[in-house]
Amino acid sequence: MSEAKIERRKKILQGIVVSNKMDKTAVVSVRRQVQHPLYKRTVVKLKKYKIHDSNNECNVGDNVRLIECRPISRHKRWNLLEIVKKAI
């Protein structure tokens, strides 16, 4: 069992592209709702991820899915999986 590699499932997130000014990189804002531990209210949390977009096909406002990958650069650990909906 120690020799056998155990393949783990990669995380998949969905968010909106907020910047695509870098070459082969886009910044995606992922929104999630969590319950506040003390007040039990629903709180919206936003986090930005830098994703690898090898064909520069993302535009600002696109709804995209990203998948976890090996580190590509100092800040990029996510790849573009698909564009769910193009911006108008």
Side-chain angles (χ1 to χ4, degrees), residues 63-78:
N63 197 339
V64 296
R65 295 179 86 190
L66 21 146
I67 188 165
E68 190 178 28
C69 68
R70 64 179 177 80
I72 296 170
S73 69
R74 182 177 166 201
H75 296 289
K76 285 198 290 187
R77 272 97 173 114
W78 296 85

Side-chain angles (χ1 to χ4, degrees), residues 34-43 45:
V34 294
Q35 190 179 46
H36 192 279
L38 177 62
Y39 301 118
K40 309 301 182 203
R41 295 287 302 260
T42 302
V43 180
K45 295 206 172 213

Side-chain angles (χ1 to χ4, degrees), residues 53-69:
D53 178 17
S54 58
N55 298 329
N56 288 325
E57 52 194 17
C58 288
N59 290 318
V60 176
D62 288 352
N63 197 339
V64 296
R65 295 179 86 190
L66 21 146
I67 188 165
E68 190 178 28
C69 68

Side-chain angles (χ1 to χ4, degrees), residues 3-49:
E3 293 292 322
K5 269 193 173 178
I6 300 172
E7 187 176 329
R8 65 182 185 94
R9 293 182 188 246
K10 296 182 178 181
K11 294 178 188 172
I12 296 176
L13 300 176
Q14 188 165 342
I16 296 173
V17 177
V18 293
S19 174
N20 65 344
K21 295 183 179 181
M22 296 172 274
D23 186 34
K24 296 185 180 181
T25 303
V27 181
V28 177
S29 177
V30 175
R31 177 181 186 259
R32 64 189 186 99
Q33 293 180 335
V34 294
Q35 190 179 46
H36 192 279
L38 177 62
Y39 301 118
K40 309 301 182 203
R41 295 287 302 260
T42 302
V43 180
V44 175
K45 295 206 172 213
L46 293 174
K47 185 164 181 182
K48 291 181 182 176
Y49 295 95

